[in-house]
Amino acid sequence: MNSRMLSKYPGNPVMAPAMMPQEVLYTFNPGAIRYKDEYILMMDVTTLDDVHRIWIARSKDGYRFVPDEKPVDWPAPDPDHPEANTYDPRITRMGEDYYILYASDLSQNDVRVGILHTRDFVSFRRVSTASELGNRNGALFPEQGNGLYMRLDRPFGNEQSPCYMWISYSPDLVFWGKSKPLTYRGQPFRDGFKMGAGAVPIRTDKGWLEIYHTVSQTCNGFIYRLKACLLDLDDPSVVIGFTKDFVLWPEHDYEMAGRVGNVVFTCNALAEQDGTLKIYYGAADTNIGLAEGHVDRLVEACLA
């Protein structure tokens, strides 16, 4: 039996509704980034009016987080693309610029990928609401390919139907196209009943490391678990290999019971200078946990 790729922090959860400065229902699915001398979580927080809002928590050591006093001052939506909820942000750094791709929705199935920009995690500027309805799990690569921005995403018709990871390209972060599914050995890459991008891809010398969620059906619902795959550096639509075993799964009370039970879900994976990987993950759509591993070990597992 293979050993675990990721170890859960003994002090989990690192964020829970009771830790917030005001009463909220849930805290989950954060984007994460290192910014100057801080770790920043951009969390999904469901307030008492049952609206998902983005809320920032900050930490000096990556383990003890303090939430801001109020949610992010979110830019007004495009007049042609109203949004009722904002959630599942993924943060990509490009030089001094930080881009946040998030789910902009009117309802569970009426979802677009929105894009914001910041340089200070205080003020945010809207770039675009950058896709047609029925697309989410947008994760922007931290560099361009052939002069184009690259984005993992997941088009879908209905959340209860199978759907998988795609890649799209853009000259300006506004207009997206050339979309196609990821492939493995010449066939569409499908791992589970449905699957989607989790983290912003991490460049390694063997390929782009991507942590993704894969969903299994049971007799009474879904289970969300995490795996990893490696994408070709020159053509990231091609999957070189993937982990045959799960790297993270729900097993503790805070991951098993909540708004949506039996779920671990990530929107981030932070590689430290020594190769340590930190993944802040949503647990049962209610709490936030931390798991740690090593980039090299996950890459090796993808190629095994």
Side-chain angles (χ1 to χ4, degrees):
M1 183 172 65
N2 293 330
S3 59
R4 291 176 181 245
M5 292 284 102
L6 299 172
S7 299
K8 294 177 182 177
Y9 174 53
N12 278 345
V14 296
M15 185 58 60
M19 302 176 188
M20 296 296 291
Q22 65 186 58
E23 191 167 10
V24 302
L25 298 175
Y26 315 108
T27 56
F28 58 108
N29 296 4
I33 199 76
R34 288 290 301 272
Y35 173 70
K36 295 185 177 179
D37 61 345
E38 289 185 317
Y39 292 82
I40 286 181
L41 300 183
M42 294 189 72
M43 311 174 290
D44 297 355
V45 172
T46 308
T47 46
L48 300 187
D49 53 3
D50 203 26
V51 173
H52 301 328
R53 294 178 165 86
I54 306 299
W55 204 306
I56 288 178
R58 306 170 193 268
S59 172
K60 296 296 185 183
D61 63 5
Y63 300 97
R64 294 167 294 181
F65 284 87
V66 178
D68 288 355
E69 288 300 313
K70 59 183 181 178
V72 168
D73 186 11
W74 205 252
D78 293 331
D80 295 333
H81 302 302
E83 56 189 22
N85 291 280
T86 54
Y87 54 93
D88 294 1
R90 293 160 173 95
I91 309 167
T92 299
R93 180 181 180 181
M94 289 186 164
E96 296 183 0
D97 299 303
Y98 296 83
Y99 295 98
I100 297 95
L101 276 62
Y102 70 98
S104 167
D105 89 350
L106 283 173
S107 67
Q108 184 181 53
N109 295 312
D110 296 332
V111 186
R112 294 179 171 92
V113 177
I115 302 179
L116 300 187
H117 169 268
T118 188
R119 284 192 166 186
D120 59 10
F121 290 92
V122 175
S123 60
F124 295 83
R125 174 183 62 86
R126 181 171 299 280
V127 176
S128 62
T129 306
S131 71
E132 69 289 343
L133 282 173
N135 203 339
R136 59 187 296 183
N137 295 331
L140 182 68
F141 284 75
E143 59 187 67
Q144 295 185 14
N146 297 319
L148 296 174
Y149 294 98
M150 303 182 292
R151 178 188 82 184
L152 296 176
D153 52 35
R154 196 205 70 183
F156 67 99
N158 187 288
E159 278 291 359
Q160 305 303 313
S161 302
C163 42
Y164 306 97
M165 282 195 290
W166 286 52
I167 190 168
S168 300
Y169 302 87
S170 173
D172 57 6
L173 296 174
V174 177
F175 297 100
W176 292 84
K178 296 187 175 181
S179 302
K180 56 184 176 180
L182 300 189
T183 60
Y184 177 65
R185 296 180 177 176
Q187 299 297 318
F189 179 45
R190 296 181 175 178
D191 185 10
F193 176 76
K194 58 181 182 175
M195 60 189 294
V200 170
I202 297 169
R203 173 181 270 277
T204 76
D205 59 357
K206 301 290 180 61
W208 289 105
L209 178 65
E210 169 61 22
I211 310 298
Y212 64 93
H213 64 267
T214 174
V215 183
S216 301
Q217 283 183 303
T218 71
C219 61
N220 61 352
F222 294 128
I223 303 175
Y224 280 70
R225 295 173 281 204
L226 301 186
K227 297 180 78 172
C229 64
L230 204 61
L231 309 178
D232 186 85
L233 288 175
D234 295 322
D235 182 1
S237 72
V238 175
V239 177
I240 300 169
F242 64 101
T243 58
K244 306 310 182 286
D245 295 338
F246 298 112
V247 299
L248 203 71
W249 57 92
E251 56 186 318
H252 302 298
D253 288 347
Y254 65 90
E255 301 159 334
M256 302 287 287
R259 175 177 175 268
V260 183
N262 296 331
V263 169
V264 297
F265 187 97
T266 192
C267 297
N268 67 85
L270 301 185
E272 307 279 25
Q273 289 187 349
D274 64 357
T276 299
L277 194 69
K278 281 184 166 63
I279 296 176
Y280 299 94
Y281 63 94
D285 273 17
T286 301
N287 304 292
I288 295 172
L290 167 63
E292 295 178 289
H294 199 281
V295 169
D296 289 347
R297 196 160 174 233
L298 284 163
V299 169
E300 291 169 3
C302 288
L303 297 175

